[in-house]
């Protein structure tokens, strides 16, 4: 959510309302000439009450898919759950309840009802992620009644022992919005909600260092490179870089490109990022510009950034140009895959760095039947090592896995 005096809450709510309204009123069904992307559709476990989800989905070193739920039923005090899918057999398991892990089953504060952060596995097979609360949604609520929420917990899960461990609250009364593992320097980078502060957690010492709230916004996406550098974005799309050798967090002058004629950068931040295998490129899409971009972190003192064209909304990739993109991942084939949100539900496309072309893959079609109008809002995308992809989408009734093999490059 927006933070401080930098962002007017009403303006942000207006944007969200437009997105929600568009999902139910403006989302068009796939045309008869639209490509269909046949997939296997698997509903998440009913007992998780997961009506929507964001960002928290990845393949573990064991080949299984780990995901975090979000419980938006405000009248029910239900904890978020860590779940697991076997992409070969479709078998699912509920692994851990965040209320039990954090010991807040009977607390009278806002529940740990959300795993919103990315899930990152280290070389030992240990998964790292953070908790959040669905009810903790505005800066004003945080400022007026900070004690209404205890704070987001840093949590690990060990598949070998089937044990989830609570490492504590990183910042009192703030949740963990995004997370990156910088294993090369033994650190975890987290962006906190609702202030947008950047926190560094030292794995060996368990020391927490608060680097301040220079983001102006609790970014939904943070990545770490093998050399330990961390990257995220401000609310207006400026790159923020953390350099562990200098313990330095800085806002750079390079920013997500604007569309022709645009002048207002507000909320042109990406909601998902994908890093190339050689770590020479980071990909994302601007929210208000709708542009797919490539950021090269080592091209000059601050890196360089360029537009790759609209993620959706032109003759190459059909749809509406201005849309969120929360679902993005680099595939085993080197292509960068992404899926549509409220304005482009069910649509999946990619960018091929080898050819420099964007490619429309089609509209999700379980068993060959296209999703109904408005369905297909993608909250995360996971690229499996065997080349298959999983798009997680939700319809406010349940969340689903959509598993498919992407077509070869034309």
């Amino acid at each position: 959510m927006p933070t401080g005096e930098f962002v007017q809450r009403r303006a942000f709510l207006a944007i969200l309302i437009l997105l929600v309204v568009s999902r139910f009123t403006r989302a068009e069904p796939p045309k008869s000439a639209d490509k269909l992307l046949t997939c296997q559709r698997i509903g998440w476990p009913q007992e998780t009450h997961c009506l929507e989800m964001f960002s928290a989905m990845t393949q573990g070193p064991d080949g299984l898919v780990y995901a975090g739920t979000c419980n938006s039923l405000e009248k029910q005090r239900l904890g978020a759950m860590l779940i697991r899918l076997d992409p070969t057999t479709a078998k699912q398991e509920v692994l851990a309840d965040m209320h039990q892990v954090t010991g807040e089953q009977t607390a009278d504060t806002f529940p740990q009802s959300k795993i919103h952060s990315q899930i990152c596995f280290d070389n030992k097979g240990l998964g790292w992620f953070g908790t959040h609360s669905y009810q903790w949604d505005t800066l004003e609520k945080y400022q007026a009644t900070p004690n209404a929420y205890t704070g987001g917990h840093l949590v690990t899960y060990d598949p070998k022992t089937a044990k989830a461990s609570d490492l504590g609250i990183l910042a009192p009364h703030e949740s963990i919005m995004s997370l990156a593992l910088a294993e090369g320097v033994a650190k975890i980078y987290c962006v906190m909600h609702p202030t947008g502060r950047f926190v560094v957690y030292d794995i060996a010492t368990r020391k927490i260092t608060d680097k301040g709230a220079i983001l102006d916004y609790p970014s939904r996406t943070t990545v770490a490179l093998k050399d330990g550098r961390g990257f995220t974005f401000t609310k207006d799309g400026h790159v923020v870089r953390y350099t562990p050798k200098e313990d330095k967090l800085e806002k750079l002058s390079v920013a997500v490109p604007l569309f022709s004629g645009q002048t207002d950068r507000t909320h042109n931040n990406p909601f998902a990022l994908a890093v190339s295998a050689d770590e020479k490129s980071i990909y994302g899409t601007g929210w208000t510009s709708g542009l797919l971009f490539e950021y090269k972190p080592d091209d000059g003192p601050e890196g360089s950034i360029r537009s790759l064209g609209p993620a959706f909304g032109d003759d190459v990739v059909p749809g509406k140009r201005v849309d969120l993109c929360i679902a993005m991942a680099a595939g085993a084939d080197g292509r960068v895959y992404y899926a549509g949100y409220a304005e482009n539900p069910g649509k999946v496309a990619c960018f091929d760095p080898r050819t420099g072309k964007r490619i429309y893959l089609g509209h999700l079609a379980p068993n060959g039947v296209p999703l109904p109008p408005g369905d297909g809002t993608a909250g995360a995308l996971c690229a499996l090592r065997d080349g298959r992809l999983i798009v997680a989408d939700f319809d406010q009734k349940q969340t689903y896995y959509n598993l498919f093999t992407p077509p070869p490059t034309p």
Side-chain angles (χ1 to χ4, degrees):
M1 288 298 156
T3 60
E5 65 274 18
F6 298 103
V7 182
Q8 293 296 324
R9 172 64 179 162
R10 291 182 180 177
F12 184 74
L13 282 175
I15 294 173
L16 285 182
I17 290 171
L18 285 174
L19 284 173
V20 173
V21 170
S22 69
R23 179 177 182 272
F24 293 102
T25 62
R26 294 204 302 271
E28 299 177 356
K31 298 177 181 179
S32 57
D34 198 1
K35 294 181 181 179
L36 295 183
L37 190 57
T38 300
C39 60
Q40 178 185 7
R41 190 166 172 83
I42 305 168
W44 286 23
Q46 291 283 354
E47 62 266 33
T48 66
H49 298 279
C50 186
L51 307 187
E52 59 185 33
M53 69 82 60
F54 307 96
S55 308
M57 184 172 68
T58 193
Q59 185 177 31
D62 53 10
L64 305 180
V65 175
Y66 293 78
T69 71
C70 169
N71 181 267
S72 58
L73 299 174
E74 295 193 34
K75 295 183 179 180
Q76 297 186 36
R77 184 180 174 80
L78 297 172
M81 297 181 186
L82 181 69
I83 62 175
R84 183 166 61 192
L85 167 75
D86 185 327
T88 300
T89 65
K91 177 184 177 181
Q92 298 190 70
E93 300 173 87
V94 176
L95 304 176
D97 184 311
M98 293 305 104
H99 275 173
Q100 296 177 6
V101 173
T102 61
E104 295 189 14
Q105 302 99 311
T106 60
D108 57 4
T109 49
F110 288 143
Q112 303 290 347
S113 55
K114 212 174 186 182
I115 298 175
H116 192 295
S117 80
Q118 292 72 24
I119 301 172
C120 300
F121 279 89
D122 61 25
N123 289 328
K124 296 179 181 179
L126 194 67
W128 297 77
F129 58 93
T131 66
H132 183 17
S133 179
Y134 185 86
Q135 286 78 5
W136 205 232
D137 54 359
T138 69
L139 179 67
E140 290 78 7
K141 187 180 292 186
Y142 162 80
Q143 293 171 329
T145 57
N147 292 326
Y149 178 56
T150 58
H153 293 248
L154 181 63
V155 178
T156 61
Y157 180 79
D158 187 344
K160 297 176 184 177
T161 62
K163 181 181 179 181
S165 299
D166 176 20
L167 301 181
I169 294 173
L170 296 188
H173 316 302
E174 296 201 48
S175 66
I176 300 175
M177 180 61 79
S178 61
L179 178 151
L181 167 65
E183 189 168 15
V185 292
K187 297 183 187 299
I188 298 289
Y189 304 143
C190 292
V191 174
M192 310 306 293
H193 177 285
T195 67
R197 65 184 65 255
F198 190 97
V199 171
V200 178
Y201 177 87
D202 187 276
I203 295 175
T205 65
R206 296 196 174 188
K207 178 183 177 182
I208 300 168
T209 304
D210 183 350
K211 302 303 297 180
I214 71 169
L215 301 184
D216 306 334
Y217 186 87
S219 177
R220 266 82 170 164
T221 182
T222 305
V223 296
L225 305 185
K226 293 176 182 177
D227 63 10
R229 286 177 298 166
F231 292 91
T232 185
F233 289 78
T234 68
K235 68 175 175 62
D236 59 5
H238 278 88
V239 179
V240 172
R241 178 177 64 196
Y242 176 71
T243 307
K245 291 181 180 180
E246 304 170 12
D247 189 25
K248 183 179 182 180
L249 183 70
E250 54 189 328
K251 175 182 174 180
L252 307 181
S253 62
V254 290
V256 177
L258 295 174
F259 203 79
S260 178
Q262 276 189 305
T263 57
D264 186 358
R265 289 192 169 279
T266 305
H267 292 300
N268 199 33
N269 52 299
F271 274 51
L273 296 172
V275 182
S276 63
D278 60 9
E279 298 195 339
K280 293 182 178 180
S281 297
I282 298 174
Y283 299 92
T285 67
W287 181 3
T288 53
S289 70
L291 292 177
L292 182 70
F293 67 84
E294 178 184 44
Y295 171 62
K296 291 184 173 295
D298 296 312
D299 184 17
E302 295 190 344
S304 65
I305 199 164
R306 68 183 179 111
S307 169
L308 302 174
F312 295 98
D314 66 0
D315 293 338
V316 178
V317 181
K320 297 181 183 294
R321 179 172 62 82
V322 180
D323 192 14
L324 283 175
C325 180
I326 301 178
M328 176 177 280
D333 56 7
R335 296 194 290 185
V336 177
Y337 294 90
Y338 58 94
Y341 191 69
E343 297 286 352
N344 298 295
K347 294 182 180 295
V348 183
C350 74
F351 172 76
D352 191 336
R354 291 167 293 190
T355 63
K357 295 181 179 180
R358 290 172 294 120
I359 304 166
Y360 180 54
L361 301 183
H363 192 279
L364 292 174
N367 299 317
V369 180
L371 294 175
D375 283 6
T377 298
L381 191 153
C382 177
L384 304 183
R385 290 185 286 275
D386 64 8
R388 290 180 296 168
L389 301 177
I390 297 179
V391 172
D393 82 291
F394 55 87
D395 58 9
Q396 297 300 322
K397 296 179 182 179
Q398 192 176 7
T399 296
Y400 306 87
Y401 297 107
N402 296 278
L403 177 63
F404 60 94
T405 299
T409 303

